[in-house]
Amino acid sequence: MVSSSRQKPLVDFFIVGAMKSGTSSLRDLLRQHDGVDIYRGEIHYFDKETLFEQGDDWYHDHFEMDKSGVLHGDKSPSYSLDKDAPARIHAYNPEARLIWIFRNPVKRAVSNFHHAKKRNQEAMSLESSLAQAEELAAKNSPAAYLFRSQYERHLAAFAEHFSAERQYIMIFEELLADPAAETRKLLNWLGLPNDVELELPHSNEGRSVIKRKFPVAPDTVAQLEELLQPTVDAIETRLGRPIPSWS
């Protein structure tokens, strides 16, 4: 559990990533807890310049800031991808707690591709994206499917401002396998009562019709596996244990 001596009410924790890794399901799970006030959508306060310029009072209007005895939370996985967000969050609340939920990076990249196609069937192909990976990453392009699965790069950006103690890593597949146990561990880290029953919803599930219309070739999956093996190694090293569901 991370202690805090702060008196001024601020947003306490942020679900910062990764997109297409169960962040919406995790948010909706935490919304069931009486000790949590978490906004139902994504605010994008710290990664959208026009919104950040609105100021903290505008931001706080999204929460019940006058409600005592609760933790206020913000789920915006786009924060993990924006170069300015880590410093902005730290300046806003240097005692903030960050929650990461990571999915098998290959499956996340494929899911990201299908999500893009669901939104726009003219979205860049996975193969074209891999051919331009670093260029797309530098621009934080929505088509940077590989970069968005390179979790170690996102962690490194936040490590410049937040210690490892203030960052909690969950594995999506482990949450699915044992929601009760994984939820208890997270609630304990947040300092919340963990003797409650919370249901893990399945939010933002992909559409099978899109997956059938835009299948991913085995050779492309194999290329992703090779490119993302360093990510698997980095997260296993960070956790100090293997992640069997990613093997």
PDB file of all heavy atoms in Angstrom, residues 140-167:
ATOM      1  N   ASN A 140       3.208   9.140 -32.609  1.00  0.00           N
ATOM      2  CA  ASN A 140       2.123   8.619 -31.776  1.00  0.00           C
ATOM      3  C   ASN A 140       0.867   8.406 -32.619  1.00  0.00           C
ATOM      4  O   ASN A 140      -0.238   8.799 -32.255  1.00  0.00           O
ATOM      5  CB  ASN A 140       1.820   9.545 -30.598  1.00  0.00           C
ATOM      6  CG  ASN A 140       0.908   8.891 -29.561  1.00  0.00           C
ATOM      7  OD1 ASN A 140       0.705   7.678 -29.572  1.00  0.00           O
ATOM      8  ND2 ASN A 140       0.335   9.699 -28.682  1.00  0.00           N
ATOM      9  N   SER A 141       1.071   7.800 -33.768  1.00  0.00           N
ATOM     10  CA  SER A 141      -0.029   7.556 -34.694  1.00  0.00           C
ATOM     11  C   SER A 141      -0.969   6.483 -34.157  1.00  0.00           C
ATOM     12  O   SER A 141      -0.532   5.525 -33.508  1.00  0.00           O
ATOM     13  CB  SER A 141       0.540   7.092 -36.044  1.00  0.00           C
ATOM     14  OG  SER A 141      -0.481   6.556 -36.856  1.00  0.00           O
ATOM     15  N   PRO A 142      -2.275   6.606 -34.419  1.00  0.00           N
ATOM     16  CA  PRO A 142      -3.199   5.530 -34.055  1.00  0.00           C
ATOM     17  C   PRO A 142      -2.841   4.199 -34.698  1.00  0.00           C
ATOM     18  O   PRO A 142      -3.254   3.144 -34.216  1.00  0.00           O
ATOM     19  CB  PRO A 142      -4.551   6.047 -34.568  1.00  0.00           C
ATOM     20  CG  PRO A 142      -4.411   7.529 -34.612  1.00  0.00           C
ATOM     21  CD  PRO A 142      -2.974   7.770 -34.999  1.00  0.00           C
ATOM     22  N   ALA A 143      -2.059   4.240 -35.781  1.00  0.00           N
ATOM     23  CA  ALA A 143      -1.649   3.013 -36.464  1.00  0.00           C
ATOM     24  C   ALA A 143      -0.341   2.443 -35.916  1.00  0.00           C
ATOM     25  O   ALA A 143       0.190   1.479 -36.479  1.00  0.00           O
ATOM     26  CB  ALA A 143      -1.514   3.270 -37.961  1.00  0.00           C
ATOM     27  N   ALA A 144       0.171   2.990 -34.833  1.00  0.00           N
ATOM     28  CA  ALA A 144       1.421   2.486 -34.239  1.00  0.00           C
ATOM     29  C   ALA A 144       1.116   1.268 -33.366  1.00  0.00           C
ATOM     30  O   ALA A 144       1.317   1.260 -32.152  1.00  0.00           O
ATOM     31  CB  ALA A 144       2.092   3.586 -33.425  1.00  0.00           C
ATOM     32  N   TYR A 145       0.631   0.221 -34.017  1.00  0.00           N
ATOM     33  CA  TYR A 145       0.194  -0.971 -33.287  1.00  0.00           C
ATOM     34  C   TYR A 145       1.333  -1.615 -32.504  1.00  0.00           C
ATOM     35  O   TYR A 145       1.136  -2.090 -31.380  1.00  0.00           O
ATOM     36  CB  TYR A 145      -0.411  -1.997 -34.253  1.00  0.00           C
ATOM     37  CG  TYR A 145      -1.415  -1.441 -35.233  1.00  0.00           C
ATOM     38  CD1 TYR A 145      -1.317  -1.738 -36.603  1.00  0.00           C
ATOM     39  CD2 TYR A 145      -2.469  -0.624 -34.816  1.00  0.00           C
ATOM     40  CE1 TYR A 145      -2.237  -1.246 -37.516  1.00  0.00           C
ATOM     41  CE2 TYR A 145      -3.391  -0.117 -35.728  1.00  0.00           C
ATOM     42  CZ  TYR A 145      -3.268  -0.427 -37.073  1.00  0.00           C
ATOM     43  OH  TYR A 145      -4.167   0.074 -37.986  1.00  0.00           O
ATOM     44  N   LEU A 146       2.524  -1.652 -33.089  1.00  0.00           N
ATOM     45  CA  LEU A 146       3.667  -2.258 -32.399  1.00  0.00           C
ATOM     46  C   LEU A 146       4.066  -1.431 -31.183  1.00  0.00           C
ATOM     47  O   LEU A 146       4.200  -1.967 -30.080  1.00  0.00           O
ATOM     48  CB  LEU A 146       4.851  -2.390 -33.357  1.00  0.00           C
ATOM     49  CG  LEU A 146       6.118  -2.999 -32.753  1.00  0.00           C
ATOM     50  CD1 LEU A 146       5.903  -4.473 -32.423  1.00  0.00           C
ATOM     51  CD2 LEU A 146       7.315  -2.821 -33.689  1.00  0.00           C
ATOM     52  N   PHE A 147       4.255  -0.140 -31.368  1.00  0.00           N
ATOM     53  CA  PHE A 147       4.669   0.731 -30.274  1.00  0.00           C
ATOM     54  C   PHE A 147       3.718   0.634 -29.094  1.00  0.00           C
ATOM     55  O   PHE A 147       4.140   0.619 -27.936  1.00  0.00           O
ATOM     56  CB  PHE A 147       4.748   2.171 -30.771  1.00  0.00           C
ATOM     57  CG  PHE A 147       4.911   3.194 -29.682  1.00  0.00           C
ATOM     58  CD1 PHE A 147       6.052   3.230 -28.903  1.00  0.00           C
ATOM     59  CD2 PHE A 147       3.912   4.125 -29.434  1.00  0.00           C
ATOM     60  CE1 PHE A 147       6.212   4.170 -27.890  1.00  0.00           C
ATOM     61  CE2 PHE A 147       4.052   5.069 -28.431  1.00  0.00           C
ATOM     62  CZ  PHE A 147       5.204   5.088 -27.658  1.00  0.00           C
ATOM     63  N   ARG A 148       2.448   0.535 -29.353  1.00  0.00           N
ATOM     64  CA  ARG A 148       1.472   0.496 -28.265  1.00  0.00           C
ATOM     65  C   ARG A 148       1.519  -0.818 -27.494  1.00  0.00           C
ATOM     66  O   ARG A 148       0.932  -0.912 -26.417  1.00  0.00           O
ATOM     67  CB  ARG A 148       0.077   0.779 -28.821  1.00  0.00           C
ATOM     68  CG  ARG A 148      -0.025   2.204 -29.348  1.00  0.00           C
ATOM     69  CD  ARG A 148      -1.367   2.572 -29.914  1.00  0.00           C
ATOM     70  NE  ARG A 148      -1.354   3.979 -30.327  1.00  0.00           N
ATOM     71  CZ  ARG A 148      -2.436   4.735 -30.417  1.00  0.00           C
ATOM     72  NH1 ARG A 148      -3.619   4.226 -30.130  1.00  0.00           N
ATOM     73  NH2 ARG A 148      -2.347   5.986 -30.805  1.00  0.00           N
ATOM     74  N   SER A 149       2.219  -1.800 -28.045  1.00  0.00           N
ATOM     75  CA  SER A 149       2.448  -3.061 -27.326  1.00  0.00           C
ATOM     76  C   SER A 149       3.829  -3.127 -26.682  1.00  0.00           C
ATOM     77  O   SER A 149       4.138  -4.106 -25.991  1.00  0.00           O
ATOM     78  CB  SER A 149       2.272  -4.257 -28.267  1.00  0.00           C
ATOM     79  OG  SER A 149       0.908  -4.584 -28.425  1.00  0.00           O
ATOM     80  N   GLN A 150       4.656  -2.136 -26.907  1.00  0.00           N
ATOM     81  CA  GLN A 150       6.007  -2.132 -26.318  1.00  0.00           C
ATOM     82  C   GLN A 150       5.944  -1.478 -24.939  1.00  0.00           C
ATOM     83  O   GLN A 150       6.382  -0.358 -24.725  1.00  0.00           O
ATOM     84  CB  GLN A 150       6.971  -1.410 -27.261  1.00  0.00           C
ATOM     85  CG  GLN A 150       7.194  -2.191 -28.552  1.00  0.00           C
ATOM     86  CD  GLN A 150       8.027  -1.440 -29.571  1.00  0.00           C
ATOM     87  OE1 GLN A 150       7.854  -0.236 -29.791  1.00  0.00           O
ATOM     88  NE2 GLN A 150       8.956  -2.158 -30.217  1.00  0.00           N
ATOM     89  N   TYR A 151       5.418  -2.230 -24.001  1.00  0.00           N
ATOM     90  CA  TYR A 151       5.109  -1.693 -22.678  1.00  0.00           C
ATOM     91  C   TYR A 151       6.325  -1.138 -21.946  1.00  0.00           C
ATOM     92  O   TYR A 151       6.208  -0.189 -21.161  1.00  0.00           O
ATOM     93  CB  TYR A 151       4.460  -2.777 -21.814  1.00  0.00           C
ATOM     94  CG  TYR A 151       3.299  -3.486 -22.452  1.00  0.00           C
ATOM     95  CD1 TYR A 151       3.154  -4.872 -22.346  1.00  0.00           C
ATOM     96  CD2 TYR A 151       2.332  -2.789 -23.183  1.00  0.00           C
ATOM     97  CE1 TYR A 151       2.085  -5.536 -22.911  1.00  0.00           C
ATOM     98  CE2 TYR A 151       1.259  -3.448 -23.762  1.00  0.00           C
ATOM     99  CZ  TYR A 151       1.136  -4.832 -23.625  1.00  0.00           C
ATOM    100  OH  TYR A 151       0.085  -5.483 -24.203  1.00  0.00           O
ATOM    101  N   GLU A 152       7.477  -1.716 -22.198  1.00  0.00           N
ATOM    102  CA  GLU A 152       8.682  -1.246 -21.498  1.00  0.00           C
ATOM    103  C   GLU A 152       8.991   0.206 -21.856  1.00  0.00           C
ATOM    104  O   GLU A 152       9.539   0.955 -21.026  1.00  0.00           O
ATOM    105  CB  GLU A 152       9.876  -2.162 -21.797  1.00  0.00           C
ATOM    106  CG  GLU A 152      10.474  -2.058 -23.191  1.00  0.00           C
ATOM    107  CD  GLU A 152       9.737  -2.856 -24.263  1.00  0.00           C
ATOM    108  OE1 GLU A 152       8.560  -3.220 -24.055  1.00  0.00           O
ATOM    109  OE2 GLU A 152      10.354  -3.117 -25.316  1.00  0.00           O
ATOM    110  N   ARG A 153       8.646   0.628 -23.051  1.00  0.00           N
ATOM    111  CA  ARG A 153       8.877   2.017 -23.456  1.00  0.00           C
ATOM    112  C   ARG A 153       7.944   2.970 -22.695  1.00  0.00           C
ATOM    113  O   ARG A 153       8.338   4.071 -22.302  1.00  0.00           O
ATOM    114  CB  ARG A 153       8.686   2.161 -24.969  1.00  0.00           C
ATOM    115  CG  ARG A 153       9.674   1.341 -25.776  1.00  0.00           C
ATOM    116  CD  ARG A 153       9.418   1.394 -27.272  1.00  0.00           C
ATOM    117  NE  ARG A 153       9.716   2.707 -27.857  1.00  0.00           N
ATOM    118  CZ  ARG A 153       9.760   2.939 -29.169  1.00  0.00           C
ATOM    119  NH1 ARG A 153       9.515   1.945 -30.028  1.00  0.00           N
ATOM    120  NH2 ARG A 153      10.038   4.142 -29.634  1.00  0.00           N
ATOM    121  N   HIS A 154       6.729   2.546 -22.467  1.00  0.00           N
ATOM    122  CA  HIS A 154       5.771   3.371 -21.742  1.00  0.00           C
ATOM    123  C   HIS A 154       6.143   3.458 -20.264  1.00  0.00           C
ATOM    124  O   HIS A 154       6.069   4.526 -19.643  1.00  0.00           O
ATOM    125  CB  HIS A 154       4.362   2.800 -21.899  1.00  0.00           C
ATOM    126  CG  HIS A 154       4.018   2.449 -23.311  1.00  0.00           C
ATOM    127  ND1 HIS A 154       3.058   1.514 -23.649  1.00  0.00           N
ATOM    128  CD2 HIS A 154       4.528   2.884 -24.501  1.00  0.00           C
ATOM    129  CE1 HIS A 154       2.985   1.403 -24.967  1.00  0.00           C
ATOM    130  NE2 HIS A 154       3.879   2.210 -25.500  1.00  0.00           N
ATOM    131  N   LEU A 155       6.566   2.332 -19.709  1.00  0.00           N
ATOM    132  CA  LEU A 155       7.009   2.329 -18.316  1.00  0.00           C
ATOM    133  C   LEU A 155       8.217   3.237 -18.126  1.00  0.00           C
ATOM    134  O   LEU A 155       8.319   3.942 -17.119  1.00  0.00           O
ATOM    135  CB  LEU A 155       7.357   0.902 -17.884  1.00  0.00           C
ATOM    136  CG  LEU A 155       6.179  -0.035 -17.623  1.00  0.00           C
ATOM    137  CD1 LEU A 155       6.665  -1.482 -17.548  1.00  0.00           C
ATOM    138  CD2 LEU A 155       5.443   0.334 -16.346  1.00  0.00           C
ATOM    139  N   ALA A 156       9.112   3.229 -19.091  1.00  0.00           N
ATOM    140  CA  ALA A 156      10.324   4.053 -18.981  1.00  0.00           C
ATOM    141  C   ALA A 156       9.979   5.530 -18.943  1.00  0.00           C
ATOM    142  O   ALA A 156      10.606   6.311 -18.214  1.00  0.00           O
ATOM    143  CB  ALA A 156      11.264   3.757 -20.143  1.00  0.00           C
ATOM    144  N   ALA A 157       8.968   5.934 -19.711  1.00  0.00           N
ATOM    145  CA  ALA A 157       8.577   7.348 -19.724  1.00  0.00           C
ATOM    146  C   ALA A 157       8.043   7.780 -18.360  1.00  0.00           C
ATOM    147  O   ALA A 157       8.337   8.887 -17.886  1.00  0.00           O
ATOM    148  CB  ALA A 157       7.524   7.585 -20.808  1.00  0.00           C
ATOM    149  N   PHE A 158       7.288   6.919 -17.699  1.00  0.00           N
ATOM    150  CA  PHE A 158       6.740   7.257 -16.388  1.00  0.00           C
ATOM    151  C   PHE A 158       7.777   7.100 -15.284  1.00  0.00           C
ATOM    152  O   PHE A 158       7.677   7.752 -14.241  1.00  0.00           O
ATOM    153  CB  PHE A 158       5.502   6.412 -16.095  1.00  0.00           C
ATOM    154  CG  PHE A 158       4.245   6.993 -16.674  1.00  0.00           C
ATOM    155  CD1 PHE A 158       3.893   6.740 -17.988  1.00  0.00           C
ATOM    156  CD2 PHE A 158       3.421   7.813 -15.919  1.00  0.00           C
ATOM    157  CE1 PHE A 158       2.744   7.287 -18.535  1.00  0.00           C
ATOM    158  CE2 PHE A 158       2.267   8.366 -16.450  1.00  0.00           C
ATOM    159  CZ  PHE A 158       1.921   8.109 -17.762  1.00  0.00           C
ATOM    160  N   ALA A 159       8.776   6.245 -15.509  1.00  0.00           N
ATOM    161  CA  ALA A 159       9.808   6.039 -14.489  1.00  0.00           C
ATOM    162  C   ALA A 159      10.631   7.296 -14.243  1.00  0.00           C
ATOM    163  O   ALA A 159      11.261   7.429 -13.194  1.00  0.00           O
ATOM    164  CB  ALA A 159      10.728   4.891 -14.909  1.00  0.00           C
ATOM    165  N   GLU A 160      10.622   8.225 -15.181  1.00  0.00           N
ATOM    166  CA  GLU A 160      11.330   9.487 -14.991  1.00  0.00           C
ATOM    167  C   GLU A 160      10.661  10.352 -13.921  1.00  0.00           C
ATOM    168  O   GLU A 160      11.279  11.284 -13.412  1.00  0.00           O
ATOM    169  CB  GLU A 160      11.393  10.256 -16.313  1.00  0.00           C
ATOM    170  CG  GLU A 160      12.196   9.558 -17.398  1.00  0.00           C
ATOM    171  CD  GLU A 160      12.251  10.383 -18.673  1.00  0.00           C
ATOM    172  OE1 GLU A 160      11.999  11.610 -18.600  1.00  0.00           O
ATOM    173  OE2 GLU A 160      12.543   9.806 -19.740  1.00  0.00           O
ATOM    174  N   HIS A 161       9.414  10.035 -13.585  1.00  0.00           N
ATOM    175  CA  HIS A 161       8.654  10.885 -12.672  1.00  0.00           C
ATOM    176  C   HIS A 161       8.070  10.132 -11.476  1.00  0.00           C
ATOM    177  O   HIS A 161       7.812  10.742 -10.438  1.00  0.00           O
ATOM    178  CB  HIS A 161       7.514  11.573 -13.424  1.00  0.00           C
ATOM    179  CG  HIS A 161       7.973  12.364 -14.611  1.00  0.00           C
ATOM    180  ND1 HIS A 161       8.497  13.643 -14.495  1.00  0.00           N
ATOM    181  CD2 HIS A 161       8.027  12.056 -15.936  1.00  0.00           C
ATOM    182  CE1 HIS A 161       8.824  14.087 -15.691  1.00  0.00           C
ATOM    183  NE2 HIS A 161       8.553  13.150 -16.585  1.00  0.00           N
ATOM    184  N   PHE A 162       7.864   8.815 -11.617  1.00  0.00           N
ATOM    185  CA  PHE A 162       7.242   8.041 -10.550  1.00  0.00           C
ATOM    186  C   PHE A 162       8.089   6.808 -10.238  1.00  0.00           C
ATOM    187  O   PHE A 162       8.531   6.115 -11.157  1.00  0.00           O
ATOM    188  CB  PHE A 162       5.832   7.591 -10.949  1.00  0.00           C
ATOM    189  CG  PHE A 162       4.835   8.720 -11.069  1.00  0.00           C
ATOM    190  CD1 PHE A 162       4.590   9.316 -12.305  1.00  0.00           C
ATOM    191  CD2 PHE A 162       4.155   9.185  -9.959  1.00  0.00           C
ATOM    192  CE1 PHE A 162       3.679  10.348 -12.418  1.00  0.00           C
ATOM    193  CE2 PHE A 162       3.237  10.218 -10.067  1.00  0.00           C
ATOM    194  CZ  PHE A 162       2.996  10.805 -11.292  1.00  0.00           C
ATOM    195  N   SER A 163       8.274   6.542  -8.966  1.00  0.00           N
ATOM    196  CA  SER A 163       9.024   5.360  -8.555  1.00  0.00           C
ATOM    197  C   SER A 163       8.216   4.104  -8.849  1.00  0.00           C
ATOM    198  O   SER A 163       6.985   4.150  -9.026  1.00  0.00           O
ATOM    199  CB  SER A 163       9.328   5.427  -7.058  1.00  0.00           C
ATOM    200  OG  SER A 163       8.127   5.315  -6.306  1.00  0.00           O
ATOM    201  N   ALA A 164       8.894   2.974  -8.870  1.00  0.00           N
ATOM    202  CA  ALA A 164       8.224   1.695  -9.096  1.00  0.00           C
ATOM    203  C   ALA A 164       7.203   1.419  -8.002  1.00  0.00           C
ATOM    204  O   ALA A 164       6.188   0.756  -8.245  1.00  0.00           O
ATOM    205  CB  ALA A 164       9.254   0.571  -9.155  1.00  0.00           C
ATOM    206  N   GLU A 165       7.448   1.932  -6.790  1.00  0.00           N
ATOM    207  CA  GLU A 165       6.524   1.731  -5.677  1.00  0.00           C
ATOM    208  C   GLU A 165       5.141   2.312  -5.979  1.00  0.00           C
ATOM    209  O   GLU A 165       4.132   1.818  -5.481  1.00  0.00           O
ATOM    210  CB  GLU A 165       7.083   2.382  -4.411  1.00  0.00           C
ATOM    211  CG  GLU A 165       6.191   2.234  -3.197  1.00  0.00           C
ATOM    212  CD  GLU A 165       6.587   3.133  -2.045  1.00  0.00           C
ATOM    213  OE1 GLU A 165       7.226   4.170  -2.304  1.00  0.00           O
ATOM    214  OE2 GLU A 165       6.249   2.806  -0.911  1.00  0.00           O
ATOM    215  N   ARG A 166       5.115   3.353  -6.784  1.00  0.00           N
ATOM    216  CA  ARG A 166       3.843   4.024  -7.077  1.00  0.00           C
ATOM    217  C   ARG A 166       3.186   3.499  -8.349  1.00  0.00           C
ATOM    218  O   ARG A 166       2.195   4.073  -8.808  1.00  0.00           O
ATOM    219  CB  ARG A 166       4.046   5.541  -7.183  1.00  0.00           C
ATOM    220  CG  ARG A 166       4.444   6.141  -5.846  1.00  0.00           C
ATOM    221  CD  ARG A 166       4.118   7.615  -5.730  1.00  0.00           C
ATOM    222  NE  ARG A 166       4.219   8.008  -4.329  1.00  0.00           N
ATOM    223  CZ  ARG A 166       3.231   7.950  -3.453  1.00  0.00           C
ATOM    224  NH1 ARG A 166       2.048   7.521  -3.842  1.00  0.00           N
ATOM    225  NH2 ARG A 166       3.410   8.301  -2.206  1.00  0.00           N
ATOM    226  N   GLN A 167       3.707   2.416  -8.887  1.00  0.00           N
ATOM    227  CA  GLN A 167       3.150   1.849 -10.105  1.00  0.00           C
ATOM    228  C   GLN A 167       2.817   0.372  -9.884  1.00  0.00           C
ATOM    229  O   GLN A 167       3.644  -0.383  -9.386  1.00  0.00           O
ATOM    230  CB  GLN A 167       4.137   2.005 -11.266  1.00  0.00           C
ATOM    231  CG  GLN A 167       4.525   3.461 -11.527  1.00  0.00           C
ATOM    232  CD  GLN A 167       5.390   3.604 -12.757  1.00  0.00           C
ATOM    233  OE1 GLN A 167       4.975   3.267 -13.862  1.00  0.00           O
ATOM    234  NE2 GLN A 167       6.587   4.115 -12.575  1.00  0.00           N
TER     235      GLN A 167
END
